[in-house]
Amino acid sequence: MGSGGNKLAAQTDYSFSILVEEYGEPSSMPDFVGDFSYILTSPARINKENLLVLGAFSTITTALMIGVDTPIYSKSKEIRPSSYNLMATPGRFYDAVDPNLFALGSSSLFIGAGYLFNDRKLARTGWTAAEAIIFTQMTTGLIKTIFGRERPFVEDGNLDFDPLEFDSGSTNHSMPSGHTSKIFALSTVIASSYDSPWVRIPAYAMAGSVAVQRIESHKHWITDVVVGGALGYLMGRALAHKNGLVKSNARLYPVVKGGLVGLNIQF
């Protein structure tokens, strides 16, 4: 991300790359088995640099959980009539339509348009987005069950966890946000396939609006949407790379400066 990212890259060997080794021309048909196997076996490809980035992300998320979750939740209950509410308008539409219908419907439009106009990349983008959404949904459900985090509106506090909660109707399925993870998976595949600000800005603006709406509706803590957004982003980016839709070198770098810990994303 600019000269700062390049300078940091030159100073450190710690990096997290989600690239595959080779790219082929995008096919108009998906490889569900191969893509699912790629995602399923991804933990086996984690190295010490990846672990450093994951550790930094976990540290940041924990710090936000302890210091930011509750204040932001309290503030969200006070400013509902404000412009904050306007930021969530597209997200409310997404919620009203139904996240699965919106996400998979959008993917279907890409697929249909790709075949109609004989555009293999457009069709492949749609198929990849659909895969990313489905795989993200599966992963999100698993993590929700493992953590068993209570939702904000229950008012039991942001550190109330009931791990291995298998009841799908339970209020202990707050982390990560499924709405957020799915829209970030969709937006990331589209933004990665068509590297233009005219595509990236609307795609991520929609994803950001959904994240705001989930906090506004008191269904999720801010760390729920942070984890959900990161999950959807990584799933979408990994599949876009694997399927040959983007060839840029995307890396995450841990940053420690001035007492602050963060992540630098360089494309």
Side-chain angles (χ1 to χ4, degrees):
M1 272 192 320
S3 60
N6 293 332
K7 182 179 180 181
L8 181 61
Q11 293 175 341
T12 178
D13 291 327
Y14 297 126
S15 63
F16 175 74
S17 175
I18 51 177
L19 297 174
V20 292
E21 292 183 359
E22 297 180 356
Y23 302 96
E25 286 299 318
S27 168
S28 61
M29 293 302 295
D31 177 16
F32 287 116
V33 175
D35 290 345
F36 181 71
S37 176
Y38 176 75
I39 295 299
L40 192 64
T41 59
S42 60
R45 293 188 293 274
I46 293 178
N47 55 36
K48 63 180 181 180
E49 288 80 15
N50 303 158
L51 289 174
L52 178 64
V53 173
L54 292 174
F57 179 78
S58 299
T59 300
I60 295 167
T61 303
T62 301
L64 290 174
M65 188 181 298
I66 295 172
V68 177
D69 268 344
T70 299
I72 288 185
Y73 170 62
S74 300
K75 193 68 176 177
S76 72
K77 294 191 291 185
E78 300 172 4
I79 61 176
R80 291 180 66 83
S82 74
S83 59
Y84 174 85
N85 204 287
L86 297 177
M87 293 171 59
T89 300
R92 286 195 294 273
F93 172 76
Y94 172 85
D95 184 49
V97 169
D98 180 77
N100 290 322
L101 181 61
F102 183 97
L104 292 175
S106 299
S107 302
S108 298
L109 288 177
F110 274 80
I111 295 169
Y115 289 131
L116 179 63
F117 297 108
N118 195 29
D119 187 329
R120 296 175 65 186
K121 183 176 182 179
L122 189 62
R124 188 58 167 169
T125 298
W127 282 118
T128 302
E131 289 181 316
I133 293 161
I134 293 169
F135 298 161
T136 298
Q137 173 68 19
M138 294 168 61
T139 307
T140 299
L142 177 62
I143 298 174
K144 281 178 179 285
T145 299
I146 292 172
F147 279 103
R149 191 184 196 189
E150 192 72 84
R151 294 187 184 272
F153 65 79
V154 180
E155 302 286 354
D156 282 344
N158 69 317
L159 298 179
D160 184 14
F161 292 87
D162 185 13
L164 302 180
E165 174 58 71
F166 292 96
D167 181 4
S168 60
S170 172
T171 58
N172 287 86
H173 283 166
S174 187
M175 177 180 275
S177 165
H179 283 56
T180 308
S181 64
K182 284 192 284 285
I183 192 64
F184 266 91
L186 171 66
S187 297
T188 299
V189 170
I190 295 171
S192 297
S193 299
Y194 297 94
D195 188 18
S196 163
W198 297 105
V199 175
R200 291 197 307 269
I201 293 174
Y204 285 121
M206 181 64 191
S209 178
V210 171
V212 171
Q213 188 276 333
R214 299 318 288 160
I215 298 170
E216 176 202 67
S217 65
H218 304 154
K219 299 290 181 63
H220 289 283
W221 307 97
I222 187 172
T223 46
D224 296 339
V225 302
V226 168
V227 174
L231 174 62
Y233 172 83
L234 289 175
M235 188 74 74
R237 191 74 182 179
L239 287 173
H241 275 295
K242 197 248 178 207
N243 289 338
L245 293 172
V246 60
K247 297 178 174 62
S248 64
N249 191 356
R251 296 181 182 272
L252 295 179
Y253 296 97
V255 179
V256 180
K257 184 177 181 180
L260 298 177
V261 178
L263 293 175
N264 181 307
I265 305 177
Q266 180 185 358
F267 298 101

